[in-house]
Amino acid sequence: MRVVVIGGTGLIGSRVVARLRDQGHDAVAASPDTGVNTLTGQGLEGVLQKASVVVDVSNSPSFEEKAVMNFFTTSTRNILRYSASAGVAHYVALSVVGTERISDSPYLRAKNAQESLIKSGAIPYSIVHATQFFEFMKRIADEATDGTTVRLPPVLIQPMAADDVAKAVVTIAIGAPLVGVVEVAGPQQFRFDELIRQDLRDRNDRRTVITDPHARYFDAELGERSLMPGNDARLGEISLEEWSHRPVLAK
Ligand SMILES: NC(=O)c1ccc[n+]([C@@H]2O[C@H](COP(=O)([O-])OP(=O)(O)OC[C@H]3O[C@@H](n4cnc5c(N)ncnc54)[C@H](OP(=O)(O)O)[C@@H]3O)[C@@H](O)[C@H]2O)c1
C-alpha cells in the first residue's frame, strides 16, 4: 500500500514512515525537506499519485495565532484537494486530546479548524487525538518559563511516548477509515506541575516549578480534566520511567 506521510521527517512522522516500511508498505515522507510544501501546494500532486492513504502528522513552524491558523487551514485544503484528485481512500490526521474543549488556545483552535475541514471533506477519514508527548515536556516548560520559574497548573495529564503515538497512527492508517475520532494516551496519569518538575529534575535543569491553578498552557486556562482522554482511549505501553531511562538517541 502506498502511504504518503505529510510531515514524514518530523518527530512522529519519521517513526510512522519507519514502522510502515517495516511492515512492507510503500511509505513516502512528504515535507519541505523532501520537496513537498503543503502551504504552497508544491510537490503535492506528484507525491500523492497512486497513494491509497495520506497521513498528516505535519506541524506549523510557528504557533503564533494567525500563522498557525493559516498553516493548518491552507495545508489541509491543499492536501484534501490533491488527495481527492489522486483517489486517496483514507485521510488520517493527528490532533490533540481536548482540542474541541480548549477554545482559548490559538493552537488548538487551528487544530480544530483542521479537523472541521477534514470532517466536511469528501475523503473517508480517521482523526487520532493524542495526549502530550513525553518529548514535548521541555517545550512545555520553556513556554511556561519566566526567568528561572515555570508556572503550571496541578491538573491531570496522561502523556505518552512518540513511539506509542506512531504505533497507534500506523495501526489506524492501515485499517479501514473510522470516520470519527479515536483517542490515544499514555499508560499513567500525573499532575501536570509534578510531571514537569520531575522532568526538569531528571535533566538537571535548575528552574523551579511553581504550582499555580491559573497558569496558562499555550494561552489556555485548564480545568482538572481538560487534557485527559475519555474512558475509551487506546493506551500506549511505554511508561515515563522506561522512556526517561532510554539513551537520548533511542528517544
Ligand atoms: N506535541 C505534542 O505533545 C502533541 C500532542 C498531540 C498531538 N500533536 C500533533 O502531532 C503532530 C506532529 O507533531 P510533531 O511533534 O511530530 O511535529 P514536528 O516534529 O515539528 O514535525 C513537523 C513536520 O511538519 C513538516 N512541515 C512543516 N511545514 C510544512 C509544510 N509547509 N509542508 C509540509 N510539511 C511541513 C516538517 O517538515 P520539515 O522537517 O521539512 O520542516 C516536519 O516533518 C502535530 O500536528 C501536533 O498537533 C502533538
Short mmCIF file of all heavy atoms in Angstrom, two decimals, residues 71-125:
data_model
loop_
_atom_site.label_atom_id
_atom_site.label_comp_id
_atom_site.label_asym_id
_atom_site.label_seq_id
_atom_site.Cartn_x
_atom_site.Cartn_y
_atom_site.Cartn_z
N PHE A 71 -1.51 27.96 8.64
CA PHE A 71 -0.82 26.70 8.33
C PHE A 71 -1.82 25.55 8.23
O PHE A 71 -1.88 24.84 7.23
CB PHE A 71 0.26 26.38 9.38
CG PHE A 71 0.97 25.08 9.07
CD1 PHE A 71 2.07 25.06 8.21
CD2 PHE A 71 0.54 23.87 9.60
CE1 PHE A 71 2.71 23.87 7.88
CE2 PHE A 71 1.16 22.68 9.29
CZ PHE A 71 2.25 22.67 8.42
N PHE A 72 -2.61 25.35 9.29
CA PHE A 72 -3.46 24.15 9.31
C PHE A 72 -4.63 24.25 8.32
O PHE A 72 -5.01 23.23 7.74
CB PHE A 72 -3.93 23.83 10.73
CG PHE A 72 -2.85 23.16 11.54
CD1 PHE A 72 -2.29 23.78 12.66
CD2 PHE A 72 -2.37 21.90 11.19
CE1 PHE A 72 -1.29 23.16 13.40
CE2 PHE A 72 -1.36 21.28 11.93
CZ PHE A 72 -0.82 21.91 13.03
N THR A 73 -5.17 25.46 8.11
CA THR A 73 -6.31 25.53 7.17
C THR A 73 -5.83 25.47 5.71
O THR A 73 -6.37 24.70 4.91
CB THR A 73 -7.16 26.79 7.42
OG1 THR A 73 -6.32 27.94 7.39
CG2 THR A 73 -7.89 26.72 8.74
N THR A 74 -4.80 26.24 5.37
CA THR A 74 -4.32 26.23 3.98
C THR A 74 -3.76 24.84 3.62
O THR A 74 -4.08 24.29 2.57
CB THR A 74 -3.24 27.31 3.77
OG1 THR A 74 -3.78 28.55 4.20
CG2 THR A 74 -2.81 27.40 2.33
N SER A 75 -2.94 24.28 4.51
CA SER A 75 -2.35 22.96 4.23
C SER A 75 -3.43 21.91 4.05
O SER A 75 -3.39 21.10 3.13
CB SER A 75 -1.45 22.51 5.39
OG SER A 75 -0.31 23.31 5.45
N THR A 76 -4.41 21.92 4.96
CA THR A 76 -5.45 20.89 4.91
C THR A 76 -6.27 21.01 3.64
O THR A 76 -6.58 20.01 2.99
CB THR A 76 -6.33 20.96 6.18
OG1 THR A 76 -5.47 20.83 7.30
CG2 THR A 76 -7.37 19.85 6.19
N ARG A 77 -6.61 22.26 3.26
CA ARG A 77 -7.37 22.44 1.99
C ARG A 77 -6.57 21.87 0.83
O ARG A 77 -7.11 21.18 -0.04
CB ARG A 77 -7.68 23.92 1.76
CG ARG A 77 -8.80 24.43 2.63
CD ARG A 77 -9.36 25.78 2.14
NE ARG A 77 -10.35 26.24 3.08
CZ ARG A 77 -10.09 27.11 4.07
NH1 ARG A 77 -8.87 27.62 4.22
NH2 ARG A 77 -11.04 27.47 4.92
N ASN A 78 -5.27 22.16 0.79
CA ASN A 78 -4.44 21.67 -0.31
C ASN A 78 -4.35 20.14 -0.30
O ASN A 78 -4.48 19.49 -1.33
CB ASN A 78 -3.02 22.27 -0.21
CG ASN A 78 -2.98 23.71 -0.70
OD1 ASN A 78 -3.80 24.10 -1.54
ND2 ASN A 78 -2.04 24.48 -0.20
N ILE A 79 -4.13 19.57 0.89
CA ILE A 79 -3.99 18.10 0.96
C ILE A 79 -5.31 17.44 0.53
O ILE A 79 -5.32 16.47 -0.22
CB ILE A 79 -3.57 17.62 2.37
CG1 ILE A 79 -2.26 18.27 2.81
CG2 ILE A 79 -3.41 16.10 2.39
CD1 ILE A 79 -1.95 18.11 4.30
N LEU A 80 -6.42 18.01 1.01
CA LEU A 80 -7.73 17.44 0.65
C LEU A 80 -7.95 17.48 -0.86
O LEU A 80 -8.38 16.50 -1.48
CB LEU A 80 -8.87 18.21 1.34
CG LEU A 80 -9.13 17.86 2.81
CD1 LEU A 80 -10.07 18.90 3.44
CD2 LEU A 80 -9.75 16.46 2.95
N ARG A 81 -7.62 18.64 -1.45
CA ARG A 81 -7.88 18.81 -2.89
C ARG A 81 -7.04 17.82 -3.72
O ARG A 81 -7.56 17.09 -4.55
CB ARG A 81 -7.53 20.26 -3.28
CG ARG A 81 -7.80 20.59 -4.73
CD ARG A 81 -8.11 22.08 -4.92
NE ARG A 81 -7.06 22.92 -4.39
CZ ARG A 81 -6.05 23.40 -5.12
NH1 ARG A 81 -5.94 23.09 -6.39
NH2 ARG A 81 -5.14 24.20 -4.58
N TYR A 82 -5.73 17.78 -3.45
CA TYR A 82 -4.87 16.90 -4.25
C TYR A 82 -5.11 15.42 -3.92
O TYR A 82 -4.96 14.56 -4.79
CB TYR A 82 -3.39 17.27 -4.05
CG TYR A 82 -3.03 18.59 -4.71
CD1 TYR A 82 -2.76 19.72 -3.96
CD2 TYR A 82 -2.97 18.68 -6.10
CE1 TYR A 82 -2.43 20.93 -4.56
CE2 TYR A 82 -2.64 19.88 -6.72
CZ TYR A 82 -2.37 21.00 -5.95
OH TYR A 82 -2.05 22.19 -6.56
N SER A 83 -5.51 15.12 -2.69
CA SER A 83 -5.80 13.72 -2.33
C SER A 83 -7.05 13.25 -3.08
O SER A 83 -7.10 12.11 -3.54
CB SER A 83 -6.04 13.58 -0.83
OG SER A 83 -4.88 13.90 -0.11
N ALA A 84 -8.04 14.13 -3.17
CA ALA A 84 -9.28 13.76 -3.87
C ALA A 84 -8.97 13.47 -5.35
O ALA A 84 -9.40 12.45 -5.89
CB ALA A 84 -10.32 14.87 -3.73
N SER A 85 -8.15 14.33 -5.98
CA SER A 85 -7.82 14.09 -7.40
C SER A 85 -7.04 12.79 -7.57
O SER A 85 -7.16 12.12 -8.59
CB SER A 85 -6.95 15.20 -8.00
OG SER A 85 -7.28 16.43 -7.50
N ALA A 86 -6.23 12.45 -6.58
CA ALA A 86 -5.40 11.24 -6.70
C ALA A 86 -6.16 9.97 -6.33
O ALA A 86 -5.64 8.87 -6.46
CB ALA A 86 -4.16 11.38 -5.79
N GLY A 87 -7.38 10.13 -5.82
CA GLY A 87 -8.18 8.95 -5.46
C GLY A 87 -7.80 8.34 -4.12
O GLY A 87 -8.03 7.14 -3.88
N VAL A 88 -7.23 9.14 -3.22
CA VAL A 88 -6.88 8.64 -1.88
C VAL A 88 -8.15 8.16 -1.17
O VAL A 88 -9.19 8.82 -1.21
CB VAL A 88 -6.19 9.77 -1.07
CG1 VAL A 88 -6.11 9.42 0.41
CG2 VAL A 88 -4.80 10.05 -1.62
N ALA A 89 -8.04 6.98 -0.51
CA ALA A 89 -9.24 6.37 0.08
C ALA A 89 -9.31 6.56 1.60
O ALA A 89 -10.34 6.21 2.21
CB ALA A 89 -9.25 4.88 -0.25
N HIS A 90 -8.24 7.05 2.21
CA HIS A 90 -8.24 7.18 3.68
C HIS A 90 -7.33 8.36 4.06
O HIS A 90 -6.15 8.39 3.70
CB HIS A 90 -7.71 5.87 4.29
CG HIS A 90 -7.85 5.78 5.78
ND1 HIS A 90 -7.35 4.72 6.51
CD2 HIS A 90 -8.42 6.62 6.70
CE1 HIS A 90 -7.62 4.89 7.79
NE2 HIS A 90 -8.26 6.04 7.93
N TYR A 91 -7.91 9.30 4.78
CA TYR A 91 -7.17 10.50 5.22
C TYR A 91 -7.03 10.42 6.74
O TYR A 91 -8.03 10.43 7.46
CB TYR A 91 -7.99 11.74 4.83
CG TYR A 91 -7.29 13.08 4.96
CD1 TYR A 91 -7.16 13.91 3.85
CD2 TYR A 91 -6.78 13.53 6.17
CE1 TYR A 91 -6.55 15.15 3.94
CE2 TYR A 91 -6.16 14.76 6.27
CZ TYR A 91 -6.05 15.57 5.15
OH TYR A 91 -5.43 16.80 5.25
N VAL A 92 -5.80 10.30 7.21
CA VAL A 92 -5.55 10.17 8.66
C VAL A 92 -4.85 11.44 9.14
O VAL A 92 -3.90 11.90 8.50
CB VAL A 92 -4.64 8.95 8.96
CG1 VAL A 92 -4.40 8.81 10.46
CG2 VAL A 92 -5.25 7.68 8.38
N ALA A 93 -5.34 12.01 10.23
CA ALA A 93 -4.67 13.21 10.76
C ALA A 93 -4.47 13.06 12.26
O ALA A 93 -5.31 12.49 12.96
CB ALA A 93 -5.50 14.45 10.47
N LEU A 94 -3.33 13.58 12.71
CA LEU A 94 -3.01 13.54 14.14
C LEU A 94 -3.37 14.89 14.77
O LEU A 94 -2.94 15.94 14.30
CB LEU A 94 -1.52 13.25 14.32
CG LEU A 94 -1.01 13.14 15.75
CD1 LEU A 94 -1.73 12.04 16.54
CD2 LEU A 94 0.50 12.86 15.76
N SER A 95 -4.16 14.82 15.84
CA SER A 95 -4.54 16.05 16.55
C SER A 95 -4.37 15.81 18.06
O SER A 95 -3.69 14.87 18.47
CB SER A 95 -5.96 16.46 16.15
OG SER A 95 -6.25 17.75 16.63
N VAL A 96 -4.99 16.66 18.85
CA VAL A 96 -4.69 16.68 20.28
C VAL A 96 -5.95 16.40 21.11
O VAL A 96 -7.01 16.98 20.84
CB VAL A 96 -4.12 18.06 20.69
CG1 VAL A 96 -3.59 18.02 22.11
CG2 VAL A 96 -3.04 18.52 19.72
N VAL A 97 -5.83 15.55 22.12
CA VAL A 97 -6.94 15.30 23.05
C VAL A 97 -7.39 16.64 23.65
O VAL A 97 -6.55 17.43 24.10
CB VAL A 97 -6.50 14.33 24.18
CG1 VAL A 97 -7.46 14.40 25.37
CG2 VAL A 97 -6.40 12.89 23.66
N GLY A 98 -8.68 16.89 23.65
CA GLY A 98 -9.21 18.11 24.28
C GLY A 98 -9.35 19.28 23.33
O GLY A 98 -9.83 20.35 23.72
N THR A 99 -8.93 19.08 22.06
CA THR A 99 -8.96 20.19 21.08
C THR A 99 -10.30 20.92 21.07
O THR A 99 -10.35 22.15 21.04
CB THR A 99 -8.66 19.61 19.67
OG1 THR A 99 -7.31 19.16 19.68
CG2 THR A 99 -8.82 20.63 18.59
N GLU A 100 -11.39 20.16 21.13
CA GLU A 100 -12.71 20.77 20.99
C GLU A 100 -13.14 21.53 22.23
O GLU A 100 -14.04 22.37 22.16
CB GLU A 100 -13.75 19.67 20.63
CG GLU A 100 -14.03 18.62 21.69
CD GLU A 100 -12.88 17.63 21.98
OE1 GLU A 100 -11.89 17.61 21.23
OE2 GLU A 100 -12.96 16.92 23.00
N ARG A 101 -12.50 21.30 23.39
CA ARG A 101 -12.98 21.98 24.60
C ARG A 101 -12.02 23.04 25.13
O ARG A 101 -12.31 23.70 26.10
CB ARG A 101 -13.31 20.94 25.69
CG ARG A 101 -12.16 20.04 26.08
CD ARG A 101 -12.52 19.03 27.16
NE ARG A 101 -11.38 18.17 27.42
CZ ARG A 101 -11.26 16.91 27.04
NH1 ARG A 101 -12.25 16.32 26.40
NH2 ARG A 101 -10.17 16.22 27.31
N ILE A 102 -10.84 23.19 24.49
CA ILE A 102 -9.88 24.19 24.99
C ILE A 102 -9.83 25.34 23.97
O ILE A 102 -8.88 25.50 23.22
CB ILE A 102 -8.48 23.57 25.23
CG1 ILE A 102 -8.60 22.26 26.03
CG2 ILE A 102 -7.58 24.55 25.98
CD1 ILE A 102 -7.29 21.53 26.26
N SER A 103 -10.90 26.15 23.97
CA SER A 103 -11.06 27.10 22.86
C SER A 103 -10.23 28.36 23.02
O SER A 103 -10.09 29.13 22.08
CB SER A 103 -12.53 27.45 22.70
OG SER A 103 -12.99 27.97 23.91
N ASP A 104 -9.65 28.61 24.22
CA ASP A 104 -8.85 29.84 24.33
C ASP A 104 -7.39 29.63 23.90
O ASP A 104 -6.57 30.52 24.04
CB ASP A 104 -8.96 30.52 25.70
CG ASP A 104 -8.85 29.56 26.86
OD1 ASP A 104 -8.72 28.34 26.61
OD2 ASP A 104 -8.88 30.02 28.02
N SER A 105 -7.06 28.46 23.36
CA SER A 105 -5.71 28.26 22.82
C SER A 105 -5.73 28.46 21.30
O SER A 105 -6.40 27.73 20.58
CB SER A 105 -5.24 26.82 23.13
OG SER A 105 -4.29 26.41 22.17
N PRO A 106 -4.99 29.47 20.80
CA PRO A 106 -4.95 29.68 19.34
C PRO A 106 -4.47 28.43 18.60
O PRO A 106 -4.96 28.12 17.52
CB PRO A 106 -3.95 30.83 19.17
CG PRO A 106 -3.95 31.53 20.49
CD PRO A 106 -4.22 30.49 21.53
N TYR A 107 -3.51 27.71 19.19
CA TYR A 107 -3.01 26.50 18.53
C TYR A 107 -4.12 25.46 18.39
O TYR A 107 -4.32 24.89 17.31
CB TYR A 107 -1.82 25.91 19.32
CG TYR A 107 -1.23 24.69 18.64
CD1 TYR A 107 -0.30 24.82 17.61
CD2 TYR A 107 -1.64 23.39 18.99
CE1 TYR A 107 0.22 23.71 16.96
CE2 TYR A 107 -1.13 22.28 18.34
CZ TYR A 107 -0.19 22.45 17.33
OH TYR A 107 0.32 21.34 16.68
N LEU A 108 -4.86 25.25 19.47
CA LEU A 108 -5.91 24.23 19.41
C LEU A 108 -7.10 24.69 18.57
O LEU A 108 -7.78 23.86 17.95
CB LEU A 108 -6.34 23.80 20.82
CG LEU A 108 -5.23 23.06 21.59
CD1 LEU A 108 -5.73 22.62 22.96
CD2 LEU A 108 -4.70 21.85 20.82
N ARG A 109 -7.32 26.00 18.50
CA ARG A 109 -8.37 26.49 17.58
C ARG A 109 -7.99 26.15 16.14
O ARG A 109 -8.83 25.76 15.34
CB ARG A 109 -8.56 28.01 17.73
CG ARG A 109 -9.44 28.39 18.90
CD ARG A 109 -10.05 29.78 18.70
NE ARG A 109 -9.06 30.84 18.59
CZ ARG A 109 -8.49 31.46 19.62
NH1 ARG A 109 -8.82 31.14 20.86
NH2 ARG A 109 -7.61 32.42 19.42
N ALA A 110 -6.69 26.27 15.84
CA ALA A 110 -6.23 25.94 14.48
C ALA A 110 -6.35 24.43 14.23
O ALA A 110 -6.74 24.00 13.14
CB ALA A 110 -4.78 26.40 14.30
N LYS A 111 -6.06 23.61 15.24
CA LYS A 111 -6.21 22.15 15.08
C LYS A 111 -7.69 21.80 14.89
O LYS A 111 -8.04 20.91 14.11
CB LYS A 111 -5.64 21.40 16.30
CG LYS A 111 -4.14 21.50 16.49
CD LYS A 111 -3.34 20.87 15.36
CE LYS A 111 -3.43 19.36 15.30
NZ LYS A 111 -2.59 18.80 14.19
N ASN A 112 -8.54 22.52 15.61
CA ASN A 112 -9.99 22.29 15.48
C ASN A 112 -10.46 22.63 14.06
O ASN A 112 -11.27 21.90 13.47
CB ASN A 112 -10.71 23.17 16.50
CG ASN A 112 -11.89 22.46 17.10
OD1 ASN A 112 -12.05 21.25 16.96
ND2 ASN A 112 -12.74 23.22 17.75
N ALA A 113 -9.93 23.73 13.52
CA ALA A 113 -10.29 24.13 12.15
C ALA A 113 -9.80 23.07 11.16
O ALA A 113 -10.50 22.72 10.20
CB ALA A 113 -9.67 25.49 11.83
N GLN A 114 -8.61 22.55 11.39
CA GLN A 114 -8.07 21.45 10.55
C GLN A 114 -9.04 20.26 10.57
O GLN A 114 -9.40 19.71 9.53
CB GLN A 114 -6.70 21.02 11.09
CG GLN A 114 -6.12 19.79 10.39
CD GLN A 114 -4.92 19.19 11.12
OE1 GLN A 114 -4.73 19.40 12.32
NE2 GLN A 114 -4.10 18.44 10.40
N GLU A 115 -9.47 19.89 11.77
CA GLU A 115 -10.37 18.74 11.90
C GLU A 115 -11.70 18.99 11.19
O GLU A 115 -12.26 18.10 10.55
CB GLU A 115 -10.62 18.43 13.38
CG GLU A 115 -9.40 17.90 14.09
CD GLU A 115 -9.71 17.49 15.52
OE1 GLU A 115 -10.85 17.05 15.80
OE2 GLU A 115 -8.82 17.62 16.37
N SER A 116 -12.24 20.21 11.34
CA SER A 116 -13.54 20.52 10.70
C SER A 116 -13.44 20.38 9.19
O SER A 116 -14.35 19.85 8.54
CB SER A 116 -13.99 21.94 11.03
OG SER A 116 -14.15 22.05 12.40
N LEU A 117 -12.32 20.84 8.61
CA LEU A 117 -12.16 20.73 7.16
C LEU A 117 -12.12 19.25 6.74
O LEU A 117 -12.73 18.87 5.74
CB LEU A 117 -10.85 21.42 6.72
CG LEU A 117 -10.88 22.95 6.78
CD1 LEU A 117 -9.47 23.52 6.64
CD2 LEU A 117 -11.78 23.50 5.66
N ILE A 118 -11.41 18.43 7.51
CA ILE A 118 -11.31 17.00 7.17
C ILE A 118 -12.69 16.34 7.28
O ILE A 118 -13.10 15.58 6.40
CB ILE A 118 -10.29 16.30 8.09
CG1 ILE A 118 -8.89 16.87 7.85
CG2 ILE A 118 -10.31 14.79 7.88
CD1 ILE A 118 -7.87 16.50 8.92
N LYS A 119 -13.41 16.69 8.35
CA LYS A 119 -14.73 16.07 8.57
C LYS A 119 -15.72 16.47 7.47
O LYS A 119 -16.58 15.68 7.09
CB LYS A 119 -15.30 16.47 9.94
CG LYS A 119 -14.58 15.79 11.10
CD LYS A 119 -15.08 16.35 12.43
CE LYS A 119 -14.30 15.78 13.59
NZ LYS A 119 -14.58 16.46 14.87
N SER A 120 -15.60 17.71 6.98
CA SER A 120 -16.56 18.12 5.95
C SER A 120 -16.03 17.82 4.55
O SER A 120 -16.72 18.10 3.56
CB SER A 120 -16.91 19.60 6.11
OG SER A 120 -15.73 20.35 6.00
N GLY A 121 -14.85 17.25 4.43
CA GLY A 121 -14.30 16.90 3.12
C GLY A 121 -14.91 15.61 2.58
O GLY A 121 -15.73 14.96 3.24
N ALA A 122 -14.46 15.23 1.38
CA ALA A 122 -15.10 14.10 0.68
C ALA A 122 -14.38 12.77 0.94
O ALA A 122 -14.85 11.73 0.50
CB ALA A 122 -15.11 14.39 -0.81
N ILE A 123 -13.24 12.79 1.64
CA ILE A 123 -12.45 11.56 1.77
C ILE A 123 -12.73 10.90 3.13
O ILE A 123 -12.69 11.58 4.17
CB ILE A 123 -10.94 11.89 1.65
CG1 ILE A 123 -10.69 12.60 0.32
CG2 ILE A 123 -10.08 10.63 1.78
CD1 ILE A 123 -9.29 13.13 0.17
N PRO A 124 -13.00 9.59 3.16
CA PRO A 124 -13.18 8.91 4.45
C PRO A 124 -11.93 9.12 5.33
O PRO A 124 -10.81 9.01 4.83
CB PRO A 124 -13.35 7.44 4.04
CG PRO A 124 -13.83 7.48 2.63
CD PRO A 124 -13.16 8.69 2.01
N TYR A 125 -12.15 9.43 6.59
CA TYR A 125 -11.03 9.88 7.43
C TYR A 125 -10.98 9.15 8.76
O TYR A 125 -11.95 8.51 9.19
CB TYR A 125 -11.15 11.39 7.68
CG TYR A 125 -12.36 11.75 8.52
CD1 TYR A 125 -12.30 11.80 9.92
CD2 TYR A 125 -13.60 12.00 7.92
CE1 TYR A 125 -13.41 12.09 10.68
CE2 TYR A 125 -14.72 12.30 8.68
CZ TYR A 125 -14.62 12.34 10.06
OH TYR A 125 -15.72 12.63 10.81
#
